[in-house]
Structures are given as C-alpha cells and as structure tokens.
Coordinates of all heavy atoms in Angstrom, one line a residue:
R48 N 6.6 16.0 -10.9 CA 6.5 14.7 -10.3 C 7.8 14.3 -9.7 O 7.8 13.7 -8.6 CB 6.0 13.7 -11.4 CG 5.9 12.3 -10.8 CD 5.1 11.4 -11.7 NE 5.1 10.1 -11.3 CZ 4.3 9.5 -10.5 NH1 3.3 10.2 -10.0 NH2 4.4 8.2 -10.1
R49 N 8.9 14.5 -10.4 CA 10.2 14.1 -9.8 C 10.5 14.8 -8.5 O 11.0 14.2 -7.6 CB 11.2 14.3 -10.9 CG 12.6 13.8 -10.5 CD 13.6 14.0 -11.6 NE 14.9 13.5 -11.2 CZ 16.0 13.7 -11.9 NH1 15.9 14.4 -13.0 NH2 17.1 13.3 -11.4
Q50 N 10.2 16.1 -8.5 CA 10.5 16.9 -7.3 C 9.6 16.4 -6.1 O 10.0 16.3 -5.0 CB 10.2 18.3 -7.5 CG 10.5 19.2 -6.3 CD 10.4 20.7 -6.6 OE1 9.9 21.1 -7.7 NE2 10.7 21.5 -5.7
R51 N 8.3 16.0 -6.4 CA 7.4 15.5 -5.4 C 8.0 14.2 -4.8 O 8.0 13.9 -3.6 CB 6.0 15.3 -6.0 CG 5.0 14.8 -4.9 CD 3.6 14.7 -5.6 NE 2.6 14.5 -4.6 CZ 2.3 13.4 -4.0 NH1 3.1 12.4 -4.1 NH2 1.3 13.3 -3.1
Q52 N 8.5 13.3 -5.7 CA 9.0 12.0 -5.2 C 10.2 12.2 -4.3 O 10.4 11.5 -3.4 CB 9.4 11.1 -6.4 CG 8.2 10.6 -7.1 CD 8.6 9.8 -8.4 OE1 9.6 10.0 -8.9 NE2 7.7 8.9 -8.8
M53 N 11.1 13.2 -4.7 CA 12.2 13.5 -3.9 C 11.8 14.0 -2.5 O 12.4 13.6 -1.5 CB 13.1 14.6 -4.6 CG 14.5 14.8 -3.9 SD 15.5 15.8 -5.0 CE 15.3 17.3 -4.1
C54 N 10.8 14.9 -2.5 CA 10.3 15.4 -1.2 C 9.7 14.3 -0.3 O 9.9 14.2 0.9 CB 9.2 16.5 -1.4 SG 9.8 18.0 -2.1
I55 N 9.0 13.3 -0.9 CA 8.5 12.2 -0.2 C 9.6 11.4 0.4 O 9.5 10.9 1.5 CB 7.5 11.4 -1.1 CG1 6.2 12.2 -1.4 CG2 7.2 10.0 -0.5 CD1 5.4 11.5 -2.5
R56 N 10.6 11.1 -0.4 CA 11.8 10.3 0.1 C 12.4 11.0 1.2 O 12.8 10.3 2.2 CB 12.8 10.0 -1.1 CG 12.4 8.9 -2.0 CD 13.5 8.4 -2.8 NE 14.1 9.5 -3.6 CZ 13.7 9.8 -4.9 NH1 12.8 9.2 -5.4 NH2 14.3 10.8 -5.5
E57 N 12.6 12.3 1.2 CA 13.2 13.1 2.2 C 12.3 13.0 3.5 O 12.8 12.9 4.6 CB 13.5 14.5 1.8 CG 14.6 14.6 0.8 CD 14.8 16.0 0.2 OE1 14.0 16.9 0.6 OE2 15.7 16.2 -0.6
A58 N 11.0 13.1 3.3 CA 10.1 13.1 4.4 C 10.2 11.7 5.1 O 10.2 11.6 6.4 CB 8.7 13.3 4.0
V59 N 10.2 10.6 4.3 CA 10.3 9.3 4.9 C 11.6 9.1 5.7 O 11.6 8.6 6.8 CB 10.1 8.2 3.8 CG1 10.5 6.8 4.4 CG2 8.7 8.2 3.3
A60 N 12.7 9.6 5.1 CA 14.0 9.6 5.8 C 14.0 10.3 7.1 O 14.5 9.8 8.1 CB 15.1 10.1 4.9
L61 N 13.3 11.5 7.1 CA 13.2 12.2 8.4 C 12.4 11.5 9.4 O 12.8 11.4 10.6 CB 12.6 13.6 8.1 CG 12.3 14.5 9.3 CD1 13.6 14.8 10.1 CD2 11.6 15.7 8.9
I62 N 11.3 10.9 9.0 CA 10.4 10.1 9.9 C 11.2 8.9 10.4 O 11.1 8.6 11.6 CB 9.1 9.7 9.2 CG1 8.3 11.0 8.9 CG2 8.3 8.8 10.1 CD1 7.2 10.7 7.9
E63 N 12.0 8.3 9.6 CA 12.8 7.1 10.0 C 13.8 7.6 11.1 O 13.9 6.8 12.1 CB 13.6 6.5 8.8 CG 12.7 5.8 7.9 CD 13.5 5.3 6.6 OE1 14.7 5.7 6.5 OE2 12.9 4.6 5.8
D64 N 14.4 8.7 10.9 CA 15.3 9.2 12.0 C 14.6 9.5 13.3 O 15.1 9.1 14.4 CB 16.0 10.5 11.5 CG 17.0 10.3 10.4 OD1 17.4 9.2 10.2 OD2 17.4 11.3 9.8
I65 N 13.4 10.0 13.2 CA 12.6 10.3 14.4 C 12.2 8.9 15.1 O 12.3 8.8 16.3 CB 11.4 11.1 14.1 CG1 11.8 12.5 13.6 CG2 10.4 11.2 15.3 CD1 10.7 13.3 13.0
L66 N 11.8 8.0 14.3 CA 11.4 6.7 14.8 C 12.6 6.0 15.5 O 12.4 5.3 16.5 CB 10.9 5.8 13.7 CG 9.5 6.2 13.2 CD1 9.1 5.2 12.0 CD2 8.4 6.2 14.3
D67 N 13.8 6.2 15.0 CA 15.0 5.6 15.7 C 15.1 6.2 17.1 O 15.6 5.5 18.0 CB 16.3 6.0 14.9 CG 16.5 5.1 13.7 OD1 15.9 4.0 13.7 OD2 17.2 5.5 12.8
Y68 N 14.7 7.4 17.3 CA 14.9 8.0 18.6 C 13.7 7.7 19.6 O 14.0 7.6 20.8 CB 14.9 9.6 18.5 CG 16.3 10.1 18.0 CD1 16.4 10.5 16.7 CD2 17.4 10.0 18.8 CE1 17.6 11.0 16.2 CE2 18.6 10.5 18.3 CZ 18.7 11.0 17.1 OH 19.9 11.4 16.6
V69 N 12.6 7.4 19.1 CA 11.4 7.3 20.0 C 10.8 5.9 20.0 O 9.9 5.6 20.8 CB 10.3 8.3 19.6 CG1 10.7 9.7 19.8 CG2 9.7 8.1 18.2
T70 N 11.3 5.0 19.2 CA 10.9 3.6 19.2 C 12.0 2.6 19.1 O 13.1 3.0 18.8 CB 9.9 3.3 18.0 OG1 10.6 3.4 16.8 CG2 8.7 4.2 18.0
V71 N 11.7 1.3 19.3 CA 12.7 0.3 19.1 C 12.1 -0.7 18.1 O 10.9 -0.7 17.9 CB 13.2 -0.4 20.4 CG1 13.9 0.5 21.3 CG2 12.0 -1.1 21.1
E72 N 13.0 -1.5 17.5 CA 12.5 -2.5 16.5 C 11.4 -3.4 17.1 O 11.4 -3.7 18.3 CB 13.7 -3.4 16.1 CG 13.4 -4.1 14.8 CD 14.6 -4.7 14.2 OE1 15.7 -4.2 14.4 OE2 14.5 -5.7 13.5
N73 N 10.4 -3.7 16.3 CA 9.3 -4.5 16.6 C 8.2 -3.8 17.4 O 7.2 -4.4 17.7 CB 9.7 -5.8 17.3 CG 10.5 -6.7 16.4 OD1 10.3 -6.8 15.2 ND2 11.6 -7.3 17.0
E74 N 8.3 -2.5 17.7 CA 7.2 -1.8 18.3 C 6.2 -1.4 17.3 O 6.4 -1.6 16.1 CB 7.8 -0.5 19.0 CG 8.4 -0.8 20.3 CD 8.6 0.5 21.2 OE1 9.0 1.5 20.6 OE2 8.5 0.4 22.4
I75 N 5.1 -1.0 17.8 CA 4.0 -0.6 16.9 C 3.9 0.9 16.9 O 3.9 1.6 17.9 CB 2.6 -1.1 17.4 CG1 2.7 -2.7 17.4 CG2 1.5 -0.7 16.5 CD1 1.5 -3.3 18.1
V76 N 3.8 1.5 15.7 CA 3.7 2.9 15.4 C 2.3 3.2 15.0 O 1.7 2.5 14.1 CB 4.7 3.4 14.3 CG1 4.5 4.9 14.0 CG2 6.1 3.1 14.8
L77 N 1.6 4.1 15.7 CA 0.2 4.5 15.4 C 0.2 5.9 14.7 O 0.8 6.8 15.2 CB -0.6 4.6 16.6 CG -2.0 5.2 16.5 CD1 -2.9 4.3 15.6 CD2 -2.7 5.3 17.9
D78 N -0.4 6.0 13.5 CA -0.6 7.2 12.8 C -2.1 7.4 12.6 O -2.7 6.7 11.8 CB 0.1 7.2 11.5 CG 0.0 8.6 10.8 OD1 -0.7 9.5 11.3 OD2 0.6 8.7 9.7
Q79 N -2.7 8.2 13.4 CA -4.2 8.4 13.3 C -4.7 9.2 12.1 O -5.9 9.3 11.9 CB -4.7 9.0 14.6 CG -4.5 8.0 15.8 CD -5.2 8.4 17.0 OE1 -6.4 8.1 17.1 NE2 -4.5 9.1 17.9
F80 N -3.8 9.9 11.5 CA -4.1 10.8 10.3 C -3.1 10.4 9.2 O -2.2 11.2 8.9 CB -4.0 12.2 10.7 CG -4.8 12.6 11.9 CD1 -4.2 12.7 13.2 CD2 -6.2 12.8 11.8 CE1 -5.0 13.0 14.3 CE2 -7.0 13.1 12.9 CZ -6.4 13.2 14.2
A81 N -3.3 9.2 8.6 CA -2.3 8.6 7.8 C -2.0 9.4 6.5 O -0.8 9.4 6.0 CB -2.7 7.2 7.4
G82 N -2.9 10.1 5.9 CA -2.6 10.9 4.7 C -2.1 10.1 3.6 O -2.8 9.2 3.0
S83 N -0.8 10.2 3.3 CA -0.2 9.5 2.2 C 0.5 8.2 2.6 O 1.0 7.5 1.8 CB 0.8 10.4 1.4 OG 1.9 10.7 2.3
G84 N 0.6 8.0 4.0 CA 1.1 6.8 4.5 C 2.6 6.8 4.7 O 3.3 5.8 5.0
S85 N 3.2 8.0 4.7 CA 4.7 8.1 4.9 C 5.2 7.6 6.3 O 6.2 6.9 6.3 CB 5.1 9.6 4.8 OG 5.0 10.0 3.4
V86 N 4.4 7.8 7.3 CA 4.8 7.2 8.6 C 4.8 5.7 8.6 O 5.7 5.1 9.1 CB 3.9 7.8 9.7 CG1 4.1 7.1 11.1 CG2 4.0 9.3 9.9
G87 N 3.8 5.1 7.9 CA 3.7 3.7 7.8 C 4.9 3.1 7.0 O 5.5 2.1 7.4
V88 N 5.3 3.8 5.9 CA 6.4 3.3 5.1 C 7.7 3.4 6.0 O 8.5 2.5 6.0 CB 6.6 4.2 3.8 CG1 7.9 3.9 3.1 CG2 5.4 3.9 2.9
A89 N 7.9 4.5 6.7 CA 9.1 4.7 7.5 C 9.1 3.6 8.6 O 10.1 3.0 8.9 CB 9.1 6.1 8.1
A90 N 7.9 3.3 9.2 CA 7.9 2.3 10.3 C 8.3 1.0 9.7 O 9.1 0.3 10.4 CB 6.5 2.3 10.9
L91 N 7.7 0.6 8.6 CA 8.1 -0.7 8.0 C 9.5 -0.8 7.6 O 10.2 -1.8 7.8 CB 7.1 -1.0 6.9 CG 5.6 -1.2 7.3 CD1 4.8 -1.3 6.0 CD2 5.5 -2.4 8.2
N92 N 10.0 0.3 7.1 CA 11.4 0.4 6.7 C 12.4 0.1 7.9 O 13.4 -0.4 7.7 CB 11.8 1.7 6.0 CG 11.2 1.9 4.6 OD1 10.8 0.9 4.0 ND2 11.3 3.1 4.1
K93 N 11.9 0.6 9.1 CA 12.7 0.5 10.3 C 12.4 -0.7 11.1 O 12.9 -0.9 12.2 CB 12.6 1.8 11.1 CG 13.1 3.0 10.4 CD 14.5 2.9 9.9 CE 15.5 3.4 10.9 NZ 16.8 3.3 10.5
G94 N 11.6 -1.7 10.6 CA 11.3 -2.9 11.3 C 10.3 -2.8 12.4 O 10.2 -3.6 13.3
R95 N 9.4 -1.8 12.3 CA 8.3 -1.6 13.2 C 7.0 -2.0 12.5 O 7.0 -2.0 11.3 CB 8.2 -0.1 13.6 CG 9.1 0.4 14.7 CD 10.5 0.5 14.2 NE 11.3 1.3 15.1 CZ 12.6 1.3 15.1 NH1 13.3 0.5 14.2 NH2 13.4 2.0 15.9
S96 N 6.0 -2.3 13.3 CA 4.7 -2.6 12.7 C 4.0 -1.2 12.8 O 4.4 -0.3 13.5 CB 3.9 -3.5 13.6 OG 4.6 -4.8 13.6
C97 N 2.9 -1.1 12.0 CA 2.2 0.2 12.1 C 0.7 0.0 12.0 O 0.2 -1.0 11.4 CB 2.7 1.1 10.9 SG 2.4 0.5 9.3
I98 N 0.0 0.9 12.6 CA -1.4 1.0 12.4 C -1.7 2.4 11.9 O -1.3 3.4 12.5 CB -2.1 0.8 13.8 CG1 -1.9 -0.6 14.4 CG2 -3.6 1.1 13.7 CD1 -2.3 -0.8 15.8
L99 N -2.3 2.4 10.7 CA -2.7 3.7 10.1 C -4.2 3.9 10.1 O -4.9 2.9 9.7 CB -2.1 3.7 8.7 CG -0.6 3.4 8.5 CD1 -0.3 3.5 7.0 CD2 0.2 4.4 9.2
K100 N -4.6 5.0 10.4 CA -6.1 5.4 10.4 C -6.2 6.5 9.4 O -5.5 7.5 9.5 CB -6.6 5.7 11.8 CG -6.5 4.6 12.8 CD -6.8 5.1 14.1 CE -8.3 5.1 14.3 NZ -8.8 5.4 15.6
E101 N -7.2 6.4 8.5 CA -7.5 7.4 7.5 C -8.9 7.3 7.1 O -9.4 6.2 6.9 CB -6.6 7.2 6.3 CG -6.8 8.2 5.2 CD -6.6 9.7 5.6 OE1 -5.6 10.0 6.2 OE2 -7.6 10.4 5.4
I102 N -9.6 8.4 7.0 CA -11.1 8.3 6.7 C -11.3 8.6 5.2 O -12.4 8.2 4.7 CB -11.9 9.3 7.6 CG1 -11.5 10.7 7.4 CG2 -11.8 8.9 9.0 CD1 -12.4 11.7 8.1
A103 N -10.4 9.3 4.5 CA -10.6 9.6 3.1 C -10.3 8.4 2.3 O -9.2 7.9 2.2 CB -9.7 10.8 2.7
K104 N -11.3 7.9 1.6 CA -11.2 6.7 0.8 C -10.1 6.8 -0.3 O -9.4 5.9 -0.5 CB -12.6 6.4 0.1 CG -12.6 5.2 -0.9 CD -12.5 3.9 -0.2 CE -12.8 2.8 -1.1 NZ -11.7 1.9 -1.3
E105 N -10.0 8.0 -0.9 CA -9.0 8.1 -1.9 C -7.6 8.0 -1.4 O -6.7 7.5 -2.0 CB -9.2 9.4 -2.7 CG -9.1 10.7 -1.9 CD -10.4 11.1 -1.2 OE1 -11.4 10.4 -1.3 OE2 -10.4 12.2 -0.7
N106 N -7.4 8.5 -0.1 CA -6.1 8.4 0.5 C -5.8 6.9 0.9 O -4.7 6.4 0.7 CB -6.0 9.2 1.8 CG -5.9 10.7 1.5 OD1 -5.7 11.1 0.3 ND2 -6.0 11.5 2.5
I107 N -6.8 6.2 1.3 CA -6.6 4.8 1.7 C -6.2 4.0 0.4 O -5.3 3.2 0.5 CB -7.9 4.2 2.3 CG1 -8.3 4.8 3.6 CG2 -7.8 2.7 2.4 CD1 -9.6 4.5 4.2
D108 N -6.9 4.3 -0.7 CA -6.5 3.6 -1.9 C -5.1 3.9 -2.3 O -4.3 3.0 -2.7 CB -7.4 4.0 -3.1 CG -8.9 3.5 -2.8 OD1 -9.1 2.6 -2.0 OD2 -9.8 4.1 -3.5
K109 N -4.6 5.1 -2.1 CA -3.3 5.5 -2.5 C -2.2 4.9 -1.5 O -1.2 4.5 -2.0 CB -3.1 7.0 -2.4 CG -3.8 7.7 -3.6 CD -3.6 9.2 -3.5 CE -4.4 9.9 -4.6 NZ -4.4 11.3 -4.6
I110 N -2.6 4.8 -0.3 CA -1.7 4.1 0.7 C -1.5 2.6 0.3 O -0.4 2.1 0.3 CB -2.2 4.3 2.1 CG1 -2.2 5.7 2.6 CG2 -1.5 3.4 3.1 CD1 -2.9 6.0 3.9
V111 N -2.6 2.0 0.1 CA -2.5 0.5 -0.3 C -1.7 0.4 -1.6 O -0.8 -0.5 -1.6 CB -4.0 -0.1 -0.5 CG1 -3.9 -1.5 -1.1 CG2 -4.7 -0.1 0.8
E112 N -1.9 1.2 -2.5 CA -1.1 1.2 -3.8 C 0.4 1.4 -3.5 O 1.2 0.7 -4.0 CB -1.6 2.3 -4.7 CG -2.0 2.0 -6.1 CD -2.5 3.2 -6.8 OE1 -1.7 4.0 -7.3 OE2 -3.7 3.3 -6.9
R113 N 0.6 2.4 -2.7 CA 2.0 2.7 -2.3 C 2.7 1.5 -1.6 O 3.8 1.2 -1.9 CB 2.0 3.9 -1.4 CG 3.4 4.4 -1.1 CD 3.3 5.7 -0.3 NE 4.6 6.3 0.0 CZ 4.8 7.3 0.8 NH1 3.8 7.9 1.4 NH2 6.1 7.7 1.0
F114 N 2.0 0.9 -0.7 CA 2.6 -0.2 0.1 C 2.8 -1.4 -0.9 O 3.9 -2.0 -0.8 CB 1.6 -0.7 1.2 CG 1.8 0.1 2.5 CD1 2.0 1.5 2.5 CD2 1.8 -0.6 3.7 CE1 2.1 2.2 3.7 CE2 1.9 0.1 4.9 CZ 2.1 1.5 4.9
K115 N 1.9 -1.6 -1.8 CA 2.1 -2.7 -2.8 C 3.3 -2.4 -3.7 O 4.2 -3.3 -3.9 CB 0.9 -2.9 -3.6 CG -0.2 -3.6 -2.9 CD -1.5 -3.7 -3.8 CE -2.6 -4.4 -3.0 NZ -3.8 -4.6 -3.8
A116 N 3.5 -1.1 -4.1 CA 4.6 -0.8 -5.0 C 5.9 -0.9 -4.3 O 7.0 -1.2 -4.9 CB 4.4 0.7 -5.5
L117 N 5.9 -0.8 -3.0 CA 7.2 -0.9 -2.2 C 7.4 -2.3 -1.7 O 8.4 -2.6 -1.0 CB 7.1 0.1 -1.0 CG 7.1 1.6 -1.4 CD1 6.9 2.4 -0.1 CD2 8.5 1.9 -2.0
G118 N 6.5 -3.2 -2.0 CA 6.7 -4.6 -1.6 C 6.1 -4.9 -0.2 O 6.4 -6.0 0.3
Y119 N 5.3 -4.0 0.3 CA 4.7 -4.2 1.6 C 3.3 -4.6 1.5 O 2.5 -4.5 2.5 CB 4.8 -2.9 2.5 CG 6.2 -2.5 2.9 CD1 6.7 -1.2 2.7 CD2 7.1 -3.4 3.5 CE1 8.0 -0.9 3.1 CE2 8.3 -3.1 3.9 CZ 8.8 -1.8 3.7 OH 10.0 -1.4 4.1
D120 N 2.9 -5.2 0.4 CA 1.5 -5.6 0.2 C 1.0 -6.6 1.2 O -0.1 -6.7 1.6 CB 1.2 -6.0 -1.2 CG 2.1 -7.0 -1.7 OD1 3.4 -6.9 -1.4 OD2 1.7 -7.9 -2.5
N121 N 2.0 -7.5 1.7 CA 1.6 -8.5 2.7 C 1.4 -7.8 4.1 O 0.9 -8.5 5.0 CB 2.6 -9.6 2.8 CG 4.0 -9.1 3.2 OD1 4.3 -7.9 2.9 ND2 4.8 -9.9 3.8
Q122 N 1.7 -6.5 4.2 CA 1.6 -5.8 5.5 C 0.2 -5.2 5.6 O -0.2 -4.8 6.7 CB 2.6 -4.7 5.6 CG 4.0 -5.2 5.6 CD 4.4 -6.1 6.8 OE1 3.9 -5.9 7.8 NE2 5.3 -7.0 6.5
V123 N -0.5 -5.1 4.5 CA -1.9 -4.5 4.6 C -2.8 -5.6 5.0 O -3.1 -6.5 4.3 CB -2.3 -4.0 3.2 CG1 -3.7 -3.4 3.2 CG2 -1.3 -2.9 2.7
V124 N -3.3 -5.4 6.3 CA -4.1 -6.4 6.9 C -5.6 -6.1 6.8 O -6.4 -6.9 6.4 CB -3.7 -6.6 8.4 CG1 -4.6 -7.6 9.0 CG2 -2.3 -7.0 8.5
N125 N -6.0 -4.9 7.2 CA -7.4 -4.5 7.2 C -7.6 -3.1 6.8 O -7.0 -2.2 7.4 CB -7.9 -4.7 8.7 CG -9.4 -4.6 8.7 OD1 -10.1 -4.6 7.7 ND2 -10.0 -4.6 9.9
V126 N -8.4 -2.9 5.8 CA -8.7 -1.6 5.3 C -10.2 -1.4 5.5 O -11.0 -2.2 4.8 CB -8.3 -1.3 3.9 CG1 -8.7 0.1 3.4 CG2 -6.8 -1.6 3.7
V127 N -10.6 -0.5 6.3 CA -12.1 -0.3 6.5 C -12.5 1.1 6.0 O -11.8 2.1 6.2 CB -12.4 -0.4 8.0 CG1 -13.9 -0.2 8.3 CG2 -11.9 -1.7 8.6

C-alpha cells in the first residue's frame, strides 16, 4: 500500500509538471478516461478546473472519496 501511494504521488507530480507546460492557471482540464482521478487532482493542485469523465461506478466512487480526502470535496459538482 505504501509503495502504491508513493507511485500515485509521483504520477500526480508528473502530471502537474505537464500541466505547467500545456495550460495556464484557471483553464479547464478535460480527462475523458478519469480512472483514479490523478489528472483531476493535479489540475486542482495547479489552480486549474477539471472535468472528469468515467463510466465505471466503482472508479467514480473512489474519485469522489479521493477528492474529499484531499479537501477538494467542494469541487465535486456533478457525478452521473
């Protein structure tokens, strides 16, 4: 579990670096295959808004849980 958390943190850091190059603050980042929500976390960490699309209900639940744990629960607007 500890190694998985480290990998996730490294992935988010890498995505944040990429977002610095391809977006500016307050832009919207779209992730059409959200999976675990790492792109959304990176976007919010960097001051961007995000739209995440995911069809797997279990992944959606995990993303919402993750956002709440990170203090981004007010960012979850609509989960369909």
Side-chain angles (χ1 to χ4, degrees):
R48 178 165 171 93
R49 185 176 180 191
Q50 184 177 6
R51 185 177 190 286
Q52 288 176 337
M53 192 170 98
C54 289
I55 290 170
R56 280 194 303 269
E57 290 174 359
V59 170
L61 175 62
I62 296 165
E63 288 174 353
D64 288 344
I65 293 167
L66 290 177
D67 281 337
Y68 285 106
V69 298
T70 65
V71 295
E72 198 168 333
N73 298 318
E74 281 194 322
I75 300 171
V76 175
L77 171 64
D78 183 0
Q79 296 192 79
F80 307 97
S83 65
S85 293
V86 171
V88 170
L91 294 172
N92 287 348
K93 297 306 269 180
R95 280 71 167 163
S96 296
C97 61
I98 297 172
L99 306 179
K100 296 174 80 175
E101 178 59 55
I102 60 172
K104 175 73 169 118
E105 61 273 7
N106 287 353
I107 294 168
D108 293 340
K109 288 178 184 177
I110 292 168
V111 171
E112 230 176 82
R113 184 176 183 188
F114 275 42
K115 286 181 180 179
L117 293 171
Y119 291 131
D120 50 322
N121 62 332
Q122 301 294 329
V123 179
V124 177
N125 190 11
V126 179
V127 180

